[in-house]
Amino acid sequence: MARKRILITGAAGFLGSHLCDRFISEDFHVIAMDNLITGDLRNIEHLFKLENFEFYNHDVSTFVHVPGELDYILHFASPASPIDYLKIPIQTLKVGSLGTHNLLGLARAKNARMLIASTSEVYGDPNCNPQPEEYWGNVNPVGPRGVYDEAKRFQEAITMAYHTFHGLETRIVRIFNTYGPRMRLNDGRVLPAFIGQAIRGEDLTVFGDGSQTRSFCYVDDLIEGIYRLLFSDYPYPVNIGNPDEITILEFGEEIIKLTGTNQKLVTRPLPTDDPKQRRPDITKAREILGWEPKVSRAEGLKITYEYFKSLPKDVIEKIEHKDFANYNK
């Protein structure tokens, strides 16, 4: 039988590259697409030699064409860290809106099933904890984070419209904080920021008083949840994340202990609209997908720390990752 063909957008990013690995291992023909604004070809270069892998350098915010049959589409193209989407707000909005529209049209033309990467950010700064899928969120649409939050909320809305109006097979995953190898060390999120600061011998920066909470899911667990959701029959949003909640102060202490450094935790003002709590209710994932996280934070952090330590010195020392000037003309 011919291999099933799957298009993965954002394929050179952190999650996209792990999805490429997973579907290659499942003997799919993987068509990877990325415009490399925030992605890195080094994340997928080990796949280029394979005959069942191909790569397109393309921006999905413009017309998307893929020749031949297509069975599945995973839409993971988007900046995903505040340091990125605050610098490229228009591109962030476009990839969530125009990009999603283009790919839904492609899915309809190819009769393909499409899964979109939504986010816990659709819940905004939540006033319930943990957050179930039925919670509609507390989002500031005109705040600095609105470009990402509302792009993802629109993405969910148009995906459901294609499902209900056109009968398109769609799936929606709401991803909570995820970590693991291939994260950018300086992407602005708390876990790589803490580890990067520890490796460089800097104090660890805590925003606010550190009482805000996060819950961290190891990447292999997340990829398994996405895989199960794609092949389920459930078209509505499903939270995938680890409900093991921790305050940022406690997390900073864990990183200091893990890295064996003796840095201090220093505080800075809390950014605008930064959520105070982030913890998934994964009841649906357990009941519908038979999924729950398996990798403990201690185990996942150890693997991730070893990955970050193995990076070239210039990458570790480079605090500023990307210059987006060319994209903002």
Side-chain angles (χ1 to χ4, degrees), residues 91-206:
Q91 290 85 346
T92 300
L93 283 159
K94 285 171 70 175
V95 75
S97 56
L98 302 178
T100 304
H101 188 208
N102 290 335
L103 291 162
L104 286 164
L106 178 66
R108 190 173 173 225
K110 300 285 188 180
N111 195 29
R113 178 180 299 179
M114 179 160 153
L115 181 148
I116 63 162
S118 188
T119 169
S120 59
E121 296 295 330
V122 300
Y123 300 124
D125 187 5
N127 49 29
C128 70
N129 193 43
Q131 294 88 56
E133 289 85 351
E134 292 78 15
Y135 176 56
W136 292 351
N138 178 34
V139 174
N140 177 4
V142 294
R145 299 172 73 102
V147 297
Y148 183 69
D149 301 357
E150 295 294 3
K152 292 296 189 178
R153 287 162 71 94
F154 174 85
Q155 183 182 47
E156 289 194 11
I158 194 171
T159 298
M160 283 308 304
Y162 265 73
H163 172 72
T164 55
F165 189 77
H166 290 304
L168 189 68
E169 284 201 37
T170 56
R171 307 290 182 264
I172 300 172
V173 58
R174 286 183 182 159
I175 298 168
F176 282 69
N177 295 65
T178 304
Y179 68 99
R182 299 184 197 154
M183 284 192 93
R184 285 200 345 241
L185 189 59
N186 42 18
D187 79 350
R189 286 180 276 196
V190 64
L191 188 150
F194 275 179
I195 294 181
Q197 288 172 329
I199 292 173
R200 292 190 296 269
E202 302 165 2
D203 291 335
L204 276 57
T205 304
V206 174

Side-chain angles (χ1 to χ4, degrees), residues 281-303:
D281 181 331
I282 60 169
T283 303
K284 280 190 169 57
R286 285 189 172 115
E287 293 177 350
I288 296 167
L289 310 178
W291 176 90
E292 61 183 6
K294 299 279 194 273
V295 180
S296 70
R297 192 167 60 245
E299 183 184 353
L301 282 176
K302 186 176 179 183
I303 298 167

Side-chain angles (χ1 to χ4, degrees), residues 83-84 87 184-189 192-193 196-197 200-203 205 313-323:
I83 199 171
D84 290 340
K87 287 182 176 180
R184 285 200 345 241
L185 189 59
N186 42 18
D187 79 350
R189 286 180 276 196
Q197 288 172 329
R200 292 190 296 269
E202 302 165 2
D203 291 335
T205 304
K313 191 174 189 301
D314 64 316
V315 174
I316 292 172
E317 297 295 334
K318 191 176 181 184
I319 297 172
E320 184 63 51
H321 178 78
K322 289 275 189 179
D323 178 4

Side-chain angles (χ1 to χ4, degrees), residues 22-40:
R22 176 62 186 265
F23 282 91
I24 287 290
S25 75
E26 300 286 352
D27 202 33
F28 280 69
H29 182 97
V30 172
I31 302 157
M33 190 172 285
D34 203 302
N35 65 352
L36 304 177
I37 290 185
T38 59
D40 192 328

Side-chain angles (χ1 to χ4, degrees), residues 213-244:
T213 67
R214 295 293 183 268
S215 53
F216 300 99
C217 183
Y218 187 65
V219 63
D220 289 358
D221 283 334
L222 182 89
I223 298 302
E224 176 64 24
I226 291 167
Y227 188 85
R228 293 189 188 197
L229 177 59
L230 178 66
F231 296 110
S232 75
D233 295 322
Y234 192 73
Y236 301 103
V238 177
N239 290 337
I240 299 291
N242 192 321
D244 185 9

